[in-house]
Amino acid sequence: LNPNKNLSSIRFNHETYYDKGVLLPALIGRIGINGKMIGIQRIFLDKGGHKAEIECPKKILGKSQGGYLELGSSLEDTLHIAEGIETSLAIHQALNKLTWAAISANNLSKVKPAKNVKTIHFWADLDRSETGYKEAKKAVEARTAEGFNCYIHL
């Protein structure tokens, strides 16, 4: 990760409580709405830094509905929103643009952008169920009705 980028809402912890006394490395993301923290998401990793092959590699403490993990400066008028933290990190690293992780596909349409935003790019995972694409379409319909310029990327 580029240390010069605003990544204050995500951290790494070498020993994060998983379950029944098991400690695993994890990415820990701050979920918020308009600057107020509502929860955290933990993505548990194996020793190689990949998502851990365990029953539940992602866990949320607190709430996530309507919330997002913010990467970058909130002063920009173009916003990129992806389903999860992993995709959001990749987009933010590649484009160096304000990017939010909606935490899940079902949350894409619930995330409300700041008033200064004019254009929103929704990044949907290309999964077999097409859940990401369907939810991104819902989000585009909702935000377009509110006057935003919206685009979907798969």
Side-chain angles (χ1 to χ4, degrees), residues 31 38-42 59-63:
I31 304 169
I38 62 168
I40 64 169
Q41 182 179 36
R42 297 162 294 159
K59 288 188 174 188
I60 292 175
L61 286 172
K63 299 178 180 179

Side-chain angles (χ1 to χ4, degrees), residues 32-144:
I33 298 176
N34 297 326
K36 181 182 177 198
M37 183 172 169
I38 62 168
I40 64 169
Q41 182 179 36
R42 297 162 294 159
I43 302 174
F44 294 97
L45 308 171
D46 63 20
K47 293 187 189 297
H50 301 95
K51 195 181 323 177
E53 292 189 29
I54 53 179
E55 182 179 343
C56 189
K58 296 181 181 185
K59 288 188 174 188
I60 292 175
L61 286 172
K63 299 178 180 179
S64 64
Q65 186 170 349
Y68 50 87
L69 182 141
E70 185 174 348
L71 303 169
S73 169
S74 60
L75 301 176
E76 297 180 33
D77 66 357
T78 298
L79 171 62
H80 297 262
I81 305 176
E83 293 179 40
I85 292 173
E86 305 92 330
T87 304
S88 295
L89 277 168
I91 292 164
H92 183 66
Q93 287 290 108
L95 302 178
N96 195 25
K97 297 292 182 186
L98 175 61
T99 308
W100 290 359
I103 309 303
S104 72
N106 295 327
N107 204 32
L108 284 170
S109 63
K110 296 173 180 75
V111 170
K112 305 282 186 184
K115 295 186 189 306
N116 62 297
V117 171
K118 293 178 175 56
T119 303
I120 307 171
H121 294 267
F122 289 96
W123 295 80
D125 292 352
L126 191 57
D127 47 22
R128 285 187 184 141
S129 68
E130 296 186 0
T131 301
Y133 178 66
K134 290 173 186 173
E135 293 298 324
K137 280 178 54 176
K138 280 189 208 175
V140 165
E141 289 170 11
R143 299 296 85 82
T144 300

